[in-house]
Amino acid sequence: QVRLVESGGGSVQAGGSLRLSCVASGYTYSISCLGWFRQAPGKEREGVAAIYPGGNRPSYTDSVKGRFTISQDDVKNTVYLQMNSLKPEDTGMYYCAAVVNGPCLWSEYNYWGQGIQVTVSS
């Protein structure tokens, strides 16, 4: 089993920054890629950012491009999401997720962290 534990959430004012961290443990050798999802109240969960091992091929949903940066430390088995210029619409529960033994596609994530709240006030 792969365990994912997020940290770094909190509450900030619009324009502020937060950095989320996710530590993977367990059968980490089986992880194909890591990513971040979020779910705002009343909305469906959406993919935010994803990255391959070694920091290759980072991808982002359009609404966060230029503001969010995903990175990975392979030695520490940790993925980060640096969030700058935060907007109230970024508010939601953020989940770290992993694809285990599968292609790195939004629909293929099969392991999830518990989620961490991000609140951006106006």
Side-chain angles (χ1 to χ4, degrees):
Q1 184 179 10
V2 172
R3 183 185 296 272
L4 304 170
V5 180
E6 304 100 331
S7 63
S11 181
V12 297
Q13 294 186 347
S17 298
L18 287 173
R19 188 179 74 160
L20 305 182
S21 299
C22 173
V23 179
S25 60
Y27 299 115
T28 57
Y29 65 89
S30 64
I31 296 176
S32 299
C33 58
L34 291 163
W36 291 93
F37 289 70
R38 68 184 180 187
Q39 186 169 21
K43 296 183 179 180
E44 189 56 73
R45 185 177 299 181
E46 65 172 343
V48 176
I51 195 167
Y52 279 91
N56 296 319
R57 300 167 63 182
S59 62
Y60 305 90
T61 190
D62 287 342
S63 63
V64 308
K65 288 182 178 178
R67 300 188 298 119
F68 290 11
T69 302
I70 187 170
S71 61
Q72 187 177 83
D73 186 330
D74 289 333
V75 175
K76 297 181 179 180
N77 291 319
T78 302
V79 64
Y80 304 93
L81 185 67
Q82 179 67 45
M83 304 183 292
N84 298 326
S85 301
L86 283 162
K87 304 174 181 179
E89 52 262 44
D90 294 318
T91 294
M93 187 71 69
Y94 283 69
Y95 298 88
C96 180
V99 175
V100 175
N101 296 325
C104 191
L105 302 171
W106 294 122
S107 62
E108 295 293 327
Y109 284 84
N110 48 9
Y111 283 84
W112 301 85
Q114 80 285 354
I116 189 165
Q117 181 67 34
V118 171
T119 301
V120 184
S121 60
S122 60

